[in-house]
Amino acid sequence: MPYITNLLFLIFCLILVVECEKQKSRKRRWSANLETHKHGPTLSKKVVDGTKTRKVKTNNLLRVEDHDFTMRPAFAGPAVPVGVDVQVESLDSISEVDMDFTMTLYLRHYWKDERLSFPSTTNKSMTFDGRLVKKIWVPDVFFVHSKRSFIHDTTTDNIMLRVYPDGHVLYSLRVTVTAACNMDFSRFPLDTQTCTLELESYAYTDEDLMLYWKSGDESLSIDDKISLSQFLIQKFHTTSRLAFYSSTGWYNRLYINFTLRRHIFFFLLQTYFPATLMVMLSWVSFWIDRRAVPARVSLGITTVLTMSTIITGVNASMPRVSYIKAVDIYLWVSFVFVFLSVLEYAAVNYLTTVKDGKERKFREKARHQSLSCTCGLPHGKSMMVDGTYSEADSNSLAGYSRAPNGPEELNDKHERMVVHLAVDNESTGTKKKGLRGFRIIQNTHAIDTYSRMIFPGAYIFFNLIYWSVYL
């Protein structure tokens, strides 16, 4: 009996133990599901380099605190070589008035600093942003003849630092710089300009830092899509040489040279064609009646003022240089042609006035002579000639004989102031046509006739010489 009781007790204990284990198992599964619901599924772990785990800090890995980075690498030793390459992102603007250009570029430096070497099993580099740059040594490169420059900071500072296990460093930044460009406008707008962007170390002479193009001419790369509205980019190339300062010494200087040729079509439309048309318009006055004073004077003044406006507009967009530009030669010669056309009419008007005065005196003299004589005329038909005949027409009456008439007829001659010529009916119409043609010839002055040929010929000759020299 006691054995049975002990056996039942043992079975009961085993059942309790099994039930407790089941309860614990259910609790663990519920807790795991709850954690998964809160934090999401468990991420698969990625095998990383031991140098990049959280256990190793950047400062400790690169030993930034163990070195004095205010001094250059290999201090008191040979000059540290710093290779440079540039990628031009855009050529933003060229200003003739300020004589400068604006360029956006990626500037990259390459050097070796053994103080930044670190152990790595995979020989992979580490990349940092601009925050580490303030803690280590970097080359102090600046832009010579720079007016304005800045490092882009959207959305953060556009600076990248890449460190390799053996201590090699790549330092890259995105910069926009506005630099001076010495331009020669003696051939403007048919000119070609060469501008230069210069890089140099500010503090370190060639004994401490040696700047060089990392891959020669291949160190400079440009975007094929770069274009300018007024210029054609002909060539980009690199050079380098030493620059000397009397107080500090010799420095390595790198040059980015680019050549720009100006597009002429814009200036043909805005300057050359209007100026040529104004000159041609001034020639119209040579075909206008010399007695039409308001028409010829207003046309001359209009062309002169228009040429002045064109010259002023061109010079307003140009720097105030002390030498003559190609466009100045063309515009001022055109202005002289327009001005000479005005002077030409002044001469024509003056000579016409002098001639009219002489003819007026001659007519008055002929009038007094006609009052004291009469001409004997055969036939009864007559034609009246007024006082506008020239001296040659008056002299043609010399062959007629003079005969005195009665007092009444003489008084009638005085009042009408006419001379009667005997002509037949057929010759009357021919005489009127001849007089009309004679008056047209007389209204065209000889100076106008010659000007119609001389002015266009001289201007065409000038254009041939001008374009052959500057193109």
Side-chain angles (χ1 to χ4, degrees):
M1 191 69 181
Y3 294 102
I4 295 173
T5 304
N6 292 335
L7 181 61
L8 293 174
F9 180 75
L10 181 60
I11 292 172
F12 177 75
C13 291
L14 290 175
I15 293 173
L16 289 177
V17 171
V18 172
E19 290 296 330
C20 290
E21 290 295 331
K22 288 181 180 181
Q23 290 293 334
K24 291 180 180 180
S25 178
R26 291 192 189 98
K27 289 181 180 181
R28 281 196 297 267
R29 286 198 300 269
W30 182 81
S31 299
N33 292 334
L34 183 61
E35 292 294 330
T36 301
H37 179 72
K38 289 182 178 180
H39 303 287
T42 305
L43 297 176
S44 60
K45 293 185 178 180
K46 186 177 181 180
V47 179
V48 296
D49 186 7
T51 60
K52 300 179 182 179
T53 60
R54 294 182 179 178
K55 296 180 180 180
V56 181
K57 293 183 179 181
T58 301
N59 292 347
N60 296 334
L61 178 63
L62 298 179
R63 298 177 307 212
V64 174
E65 305 296 337
D66 297 342
H67 301 281
D68 184 7
F69 282 97
T70 60
M71 296 185 294
R72 66 174 180 86
F75 183 76
V80 54
V82 177
V84 176
D85 69 36
V86 172
Q87 179 179 347
V88 179
E89 180 183 8
S90 64
L91 193 56
D92 302 322
S93 64
I94 307 291
S95 175
E96 291 88 356
V97 177
D98 298 327
M99 285 194 180
D100 59 26
F101 65 92
T102 302
M103 178 186 294
T104 300
L105 51 89
Y106 296 95
L107 179 60
R108 304 185 182 97
H109 310 75
Y110 303 84
W111 74 93
K112 184 177 182 180
D113 191 345
E114 295 182 353
R115 295 173 295 184
L116 297 177
S117 60
F118 60 90
S120 175
T121 57
T122 59
N123 199 30
K124 291 184 178 179
S125 63
M126 292 191 299
T127 302
F128 307 95
D129 57 16
R131 288 172 289 185
L132 184 61
V133 173
K134 300 177 181 179
K135 299 181 180 180
I136 65 172
W137 181 89
V138 294
D140 58 340
V141 176
F142 78 104
F143 297 101
V144 185
H145 306 306
S146 158
K147 295 182 178 180
R148 295 175 299 276
S149 61
F150 62 91
I151 299 175
H152 290 260
D153 56 1
T154 306
T155 55
T156 60
D157 291 340
N158 296 175
I159 298 176
M160 186 268 289
L161 186 69
R162 183 170 295 168
V163 182
Y164 294 86
D166 59 353
H168 281 89
V169 182
L170 166 60
Y171 174 47
S172 176
L173 60 159
R174 182 168 174 254
V175 185
T176 293
V177 56
T178 300
C181 178
N182 295 323
M183 300 181 183
D184 181 15
F185 295 107
S186 59
R187 298 177 64 90
F188 176 88
L190 307 168
D191 56 335
T192 299
Q193 303 293 343
T194 300
C195 297
T196 303
L197 183 63
E198 305 173 12
L199 296 86
E200 182 182 307
S201 173
Y202 188 82
Y204 298 101
T205 64
D206 61 336
E207 297 178 354
D208 294 321
L209 188 144
M210 183 181 66
L211 275 180
Y212 67 96
W213 290 111
K214 187 174 183 295
S215 304
D217 285 338
E218 296 181 358
S219 301
L220 178 63
S221 59
I222 61 173
D223 191 347
D224 296 334
K225 297 181 180 180
I226 294 178
S227 63
L228 295 171
S229 59
Q230 291 191 25
F231 293 91
L232 173 65
I233 302 176
Q234 289 187 325
K235 184 180 180 182
F236 266 94
H237 65 282
T238 61
T239 55
S240 62
R241 64 171 181 261
L242 290 175
F244 177 73
Y245 297 91
S246 58
S247 57
T248 54
W250 294 89
Y251 293 82
N252 293 111
R253 183 177 294 182
L254 306 181
Y255 297 84
I256 302 174
N257 307 298
F258 56 96
T259 304
L260 306 172
R261 183 174 180 82
R262 196 182 304 273
H263 293 298
I264 185 60
F265 188 71
F266 171 81
F267 295 94
L268 287 177
L269 293 179
Q270 299 295 325
T271 303
Y272 286 95
F273 285 166
T276 303
L277 291 177
M278 287 300 104
V279 175
M280 296 174 66
L281 183 62
S282 68
W283 300 340
V284 175
S285 63
F286 303 151
W287 277 266
I288 299 178
D289 189 351
R290 60 193 172 102
R291 301 184 186 277
V293 177
R296 296 190 66 164
V297 170
S298 60
L299 180 61
I301 293 176
T302 301
T303 53
V304 168
L305 293 179
T306 304
M307 284 301 304
S308 301
T309 303
I310 294 175
I311 294 174
T312 304
V314 171
N315 291 329
S317 60
M318 295 295 299
R320 298 179 180 178
V321 294
S322 59
Y323 50 84
I324 299 176
K325 303 181 290 294
V327 68
D328 293 336
I329 296 176
Y330 193 91
L331 292 179
W332 280 105
V333 170
S334 300
F335 182 84
V336 168
F337 271 90
V338 171
F339 187 72
L340 287 178
S341 67
V342 178
L343 294 183
E344 185 269 350
Y345 177 64
V348 169
N349 188 57
Y350 173 75
L351 295 178
T352 301
T353 303
V354 172
K355 185 177 179 180
D356 290 344
K358 291 181 179 179
E359 290 181 352
R360 189 180 301 107
K361 291 180 181 179
F362 177 80
R363 286 195 299 270
E364 291 177 356
K365 183 179 179 181
R367 174 186 172 186
H368 290 297
Q369 291 178 356
S370 65
L371 293 177
S372 60
C373 69
T374 59
C375 300
L377 301 175
H379 309 295
K381 296 183 180 179
S382 63
M383 175 182 178
M384 184 171 63
V385 181
D386 59 11
T388 60
Y389 281 138
S390 64
E391 183 178 359
D393 296 323
S394 301
N395 291 335
S396 65
L397 304 177
Y400 294 100
S401 61
R402 302 178 182 178
N405 295 325
E408 295 180 359
E409 185 178 357
L410 185 59
N411 292 333
D412 184 65
K413 296 288 185 179
H414 290 181
E415 293 176 359
R416 295 174 59 186
M417 292 184 295
V418 295
V419 178
H420 292 275
L421 299 177
V423 293
D424 31 10
N425 294 330
E426 295 181 359
S427 63
T428 302
T430 306
K431 184 67 176 177
K432 290 182 177 180
K433 294 180 181 179
L435 291 175
R436 189 181 299 112
F438 178 75
R439 288 173 182 172
I440 294 175
I441 295 175
Q442 285 298 313
N443 286 339
T444 302
H445 200 277
I447 296 179
D448 282 340
T449 304
Y450 290 125
S451 297
R452 295 171 187 174
M453 298 179 293
I454 295 176
F455 274 73
Y459 195 68
I460 292 173
F461 180 71
F462 161 72
N463 275 271
L464 291 176
I465 295 178
Y466 180 87
W467 295 110
S468 62
V469 170
Y470 287 103
L471 283 182

